[in-house]
Amino acid sequence: MAKVIGGRVLELVIVFFGVTFVIYAMVFALPGDPIRALAGERPIAESTIATLRAAYHLDDPLLVQYFRYLGGLFTGDFGTDFSGRPVGAQILRAWPVTLVLALSAWAIEIVVGLGLGLVAALKRNTWIDRTILVTTILATAIPVFVVGVSAQLLFGVRWGILPVAGDKAGWPVAFILPAAVIALYGLAVVSRLMRSSVIDNLGMDYVRTARAKGLSRRRVVGVHVLRNSAIPAVTFLATDLGYLLGGAVVVEGIFNLPGIGNLLFGAIRSHEGPTVVGISTALILVFLVTSVLVDLLHAALDPRIRHD
Amino acid sequence: MTEALFDTTAPARSGRGMWVRILRRPSVIVPLAALGLLLLIALLPAFFAGLFGNGDPRVCDLSRSIDGPEPGHPFGFDVQGCDVYANVIYGTQSSIAVGVLTTVLSLLVAVVLGTIAGTRGGWADSVISRLTDIFLGFPFLLGAIVVLNSVSERTVFSVSLVLALFSWPLLARLVRSSVRGITGSEYVLAARTMGLSWWRVVTRYILPNALAPVIVVATIMIGSVIVSESTLTYLGIGLESPAISWGLQLASAQSKFQLAPHLLLFPSIFLAVTVLSVIVLGDSLRAALDPRRNT
C-alpha cells in the first residue's frame, strides 16, 4: 500500500508542476504586453512602464516568474478580481454550494445510473433495454445548457414544481433540478458499464451456486450480483468529477446557485480574465487532489488494484 | 516478390470483406447517411439554405424579430430578425469544422506520440507518458476555459487548436497501449528479424492493426467536441460573431427562449442529430470490430 501511495503522490507532484506551468505559460507569458493592455488606448510614459514592470516582476526570466506565481498558489493566493477582492476568499465562501451540488449529482448518477443499468441487463435485448440505451445516449447529445434552460422553463416557470433559480429553498429542493441536469450526462456511461458488468456477473459460477442453494432470484440479483457489478461503474464515477466541475459552471450559472461555478460563469461573462484563471486553477487543483484521493481509497478497498 | 504477395492479397481481401459486412449494418448505414447529408450541407450551404427562397443568413429585418415559422421561413426568425433556417444551415459548417478539425489534429499528434512511446519505450516513453498525464490532469472544459480566455481572436481554427490541446492525450494513451500490444506480437518480431526499418515496421505492420480502436474513439470524440464548442460559445469564450454557429444561435436564443422556443429548438435538433449520428456510428463500429462485447 505504501508503494501505491508513494507512486500516486509522485505522479501528482509531476502533474501539478506540469499543469500549473502550462496554465502559467498559456495565460501569463504568451499574450502581448500586460502593461500596455492595462493602459488601453491611453499613451503611457516609458518611466511608468518601467516602474510597473518592476512592480510586477515582469523583467524576470519566465521560470522565476513561474515560481513566484507557484508560491502564491501555495499560500492560497489565486489573484484578485477587478474590484480588488482576493479570488481565494471568494472561492472559500462559494465552495460548500458547489460541493453539495456535485454530491447531489453524484448521488443521482449512482442511484439512477446503476438502476437503469441493472434493469437493462435483466431485460437484455428487449425494447426496455433499447429504450434505456437510446434515451441515455440522446441525453449526452444535447448540450448541458440547452437541457438546463429547458428544464428551468418547464419545471420552474411553466409548471412551478421546483424553484426557478437561487438557493433560497435550501437543500434538497433548490438542488434537485440543477443536480439532475448535471447527472444526466453521466447516466449513459454509468448505466452501460453497469449493464455489461451485470451481464458478465450473471454468468458467473457464484451466481449458479447461489441459485443452486435455493436462494431466490431477487436475493441473488439484489445482494450478490448488484454489489459485485457496481465496481466498474463506481470507478467511472470517481473519474467523472472533472466533468461534474465543468458542468457546474454552466448549471450554476443558469440556476443562479452561488457556487464556484457561478463565480467563474460571472467572471467569464464580465471578461475578468485574471479571475477566470484564478478560479479555474483552483478547480483544476481540487480535481487533481480529489482524483488521487479517490484512487487511493479505491486501492484500499479493492485489493486487486493494489497488486496490479 | 513474396513480400508483395503477402502484403496485398490475403490480408487485404479479408479486410475488405470485413468492412463490407460492417457497412451493411443498419446501425452503421443510418448514421453514415445522416452524416453524409450534414457533410453535404456543410460543403454547399448556399444550395441548401436557398431551398425555401430566403437563403442569406445575413439578410435581417428587425421588425420580424422572433416571429414564428411561416411559408418561406420554415424555422421562423431570430432575435435580429434573420432567417433561422438559413442560419442553422450555415452553422452546420463551423460546428462540423470544429469537430472534425479538432479530432484530426489530436489524432495526428496522438498517432505520432503514441507510436513513438509504444514502440521505442525507454526515456521517450516516459517523457511522452508524463506529458500525457499532465494534459489529462485538466478537466476538459476547465482547461479550455483557461486557455480560450486569453485567446484574443477566436475563429474556427484557433478554437479547434485549443480544444485539440486538451483532447489529444486521451487518444495518445489509447494509441500507445494499442501499439504496445501489437509490438509484442510474433509477426512484428518476425518483421524486425527480417531487418526491416523501424519506419516500415510501424507503417506496414503495427499501425494498420493498432488503429481500429483509436478510430472508433476518435469518431465519438467528434461528437463531444461539437457539444463542447457550443457550451464554450454559450459561456462566451467559444466562437464569436460574425461567425455563424449553432452554439452562437443557442446562446443568443436563451434570453428570448420563453417567448420563442423555436430559436432554441431548431439549432438543438441539428446539433443533437449530428452528435447522435457520430456517437451511434462510433459505437456500432466498436461493436462490429470487437465481437466479444457483442452481448
Side-chain angles (χ1 to χ4, degrees), chain A residues 52-97:
Chain A
L52 283 172
R53 288 195 76 86
Y56 291 111
H57 308 285
L58 288 174
D59 294 321
D60 292 346
L62 177 64
L63 267 183
V64 176
Q65 288 190 48
Y66 164 66
F67 278 109
R68 189 170 285 118
Y69 156 81
L70 213 57
L73 287 188
F74 272 116
T75 51
D77 176 9
F78 290 96
T80 51
D81 67 4
F82 278 12
S83 33
R85 288 172 300 179
V87 173
Q90 293 189 48
I91 291 176
L92 272 184
R93 210 170 323 122
W95 181 234
V97 176

Side-chain angles (χ1 to χ4, degrees), chain A residues 230-298:
Chain A
I231 295 171
V234 171
T235 312
F236 164 76
L237 283 170
T239 59
D240 198 30
L241 182 74
Y243 171 72
L244 286 183
L245 291 174
V249 179
V250 176
V251 169
E252 283 181 9
I254 293 173
F255 290 96
N256 200 20
L257 293 174
I260 300 181
N262 202 5
L263 281 182
L264 186 53
F265 187 82
I268 297 172
R269 286 269 156 124
S270 52
H271 301 285
E272 291 196 31
T275 320
V276 173
V277 175
I279 298 172
S280 318
T281 311
L283 281 176
I284 291 169
L285 296 185
V286 167
F287 168 70
L288 287 181
V289 174
T290 327
S291 54
V292 171
L293 289 181
V294 169
D295 268 10
L296 292 180
L297 189 72
H298 203 213

Side-chain angles (χ1 to χ4, degrees), chain B residues 69-170:
Chain B
E70 62 178 54
H73 300 276
F75 292 177
F77 298 85
D78 69 6
V79 180
Q80 305 291 328
C82 317
D83 184 50
V84 172
Y85 173 74
N87 271 284
V88 169
I89 290 293
Y90 273 89
T92 312
Q93 199 168 37
S94 44
S95 294
I96 289 188
V98 170
V100 172
L101 194 58
T102 304
T103 310
V104 168
L105 284 173
S106 13
L107 200 59
L108 280 178
V109 176
V111 167
V112 171
L113 291 184
T115 311
I116 293 176
T119 53
R120 283 288 158 92
W123 65 268
D125 184 21
S126 306
V127 170
I128 292 171
S129 295
R130 291 298 83 76
L131 202 65
T132 316
D133 285 346
I134 288 170
F135 279 93
L136 279 176
F138 287 94
F140 185 76
L141 205 59
L142 290 175
I145 287 176
V146 170
V147 178
L148 279 173
N149 180 51
S150 56
V151 173
S152 52
E153 226 172 288
R154 297 190 300 267
T155 59
V156 167
F157 185 70
S158 62
V159 169
S160 306
L161 215 56
V162 173
L163 291 179
L165 182 69
F166 295 103
S167 44
W168 68 267
L170 188 76

Side-chain angles (χ1 to χ4, degrees), chain B residues 222-276:
Chain B
I222 297 179
S224 57
V225 167
I226 292 178
V227 171
S228 307
E229 181 271 315
S230 74
T231 304
L232 288 166
T233 303
Y234 165 79
L235 286 173
I237 46 176
L239 295 172
E240 309 166 287
S241 60
I244 298 178
S245 90
W246 296 332
L248 280 168
Q249 287 154 27
L250 292 170
S252 72
Q254 199 220 340
S255 57
K256 295 278 187 259
F257 174 42
Q258 301 193 12
L259 297 170
H262 67 273
L263 295 184
L264 204 64
L265 186 66
F266 293 112
S268 299
I269 291 177
F270 267 71
L271 197 131
V273 167
T274 311
V275 175
L276 211 59

Side-chain angles (χ1 to χ4, degrees), chain A:
Chain A
M1 193 64 203
K3 215 176 142 190
V4 176
I5 297 179
R8 203 63 185 82
V9 169
L10 184 70
E11 215 179 293
L12 173 69
V13 171
I14 296 173
V15 171
F16 171 82
F17 280 107
V19 165
T20 47
F21 187 75
V22 169
I23 296 177
Y24 190 79
M26 287 286 164
V27 175
F28 294 100
L30 284 186
D33 182 355
I35 303 297
R36 294 261 179 224
L38 211 63
E41 299 288 301
R42 284 168 295 167
I44 183 166
E46 283 304 317
S47 59
T48 323
I49 294 182
T51 325
L52 283 172
R53 288 195 76 86
Y56 291 111
H57 308 285
L58 288 174
D59 294 321
D60 292 346
L62 177 64
L63 267 183
V64 176
Q65 288 190 48
Y66 164 66
F67 278 109
R68 189 170 285 118
Y69 156 81
L70 213 57
L73 287 188
F74 272 116
T75 51
D77 176 9
F78 290 96
T80 51
D81 67 4
F82 278 12
S83 33
R85 288 172 300 179
V87 173
Q90 293 189 48
I91 291 176
L92 272 184
R93 210 170 323 122
W95 181 234
V97 176
T98 304
L99 189 69
V100 170
L101 180 65
L103 288 180
S104 315
W106 236 344
I108 296 177
E109 268 185 38
I110 291 175
V111 174
V112 181
L114 294 192
L116 285 179
L118 184 66
V119 171
L122 294 178
K123 305 276 176 196
R124 142 161 67 136
N125 295 335
T126 62
W127 64 271
I128 300 179
D129 182 18
R130 295 213 183 85
T131 313
I132 291 176
L133 182 72
V134 171
T135 19
T136 49
I137 292 187
L138 190 66
T140 50
I142 305 171
V144 63
F145 63 93
V146 173
V147 177
V149 292
S150 311
Q152 191 180 36
L153 178 73
L154 291 179
F155 291 93
V157 181
R158 290 263 164 90
W159 301 332
I161 310 171
L162 292 163
V164 177
D167 67 339
K168 278 224 178 69
W171 193 86
V173 181
F175 286 86
I176 293 175
L177 210 47
V181 170
I182 299 181
L184 203 57
Y185 290 84
L187 284 186
V189 184
V190 174
S191 65
R192 298 185 77 188
L193 281 174
M194 185 65 182
R195 177 183 178 274
S196 61
S197 168
V198 168
I199 290 174
D200 285 350
N201 270 293
L202 281 176
M204 293 266 190
D205 288 343
Y206 76 87
V207 171
R208 198 159 14 123
T209 312
R211 290 287 290 156
K213 276 165 67 186
L215 292 183
S216 67
R217 184 176 158 81
R218 175 184 291 268
R219 197 171 156 74
V220 172
V221 171
V223 177
H224 300 270
V225 173
L226 189 61
R227 216 185 274 173
N228 282 302
S229 311
I231 295 171
V234 171
T235 312
F236 164 76
L237 283 170
T239 59
D240 198 30
L241 182 74
Y243 171 72
L244 286 183
L245 291 174
V249 179
V250 176
V251 169
E252 283 181 9
I254 293 173
F255 290 96
N256 200 20
L257 293 174
I260 300 181
N262 202 5
L263 281 182
L264 186 53
F265 187 82
I268 297 172
R269 286 269 156 124
S270 52
H271 301 285
E272 291 196 31
T275 320
V276 173
V277 175
I279 298 172
S280 318
T281 311
L283 281 176
I284 291 169
L285 296 185
V286 167
F287 168 70
L288 287 181
V289 174
T290 327
S291 54
V292 171
L293 289 181
V294 169
D295 268 10
L296 292 180
L297 189 72
H298 203 213
L301 291 176
D302 190 342
R304 282 173 299 183
I305 296 166
R306 233 176 297 162
H307 297 297
D308 261 359

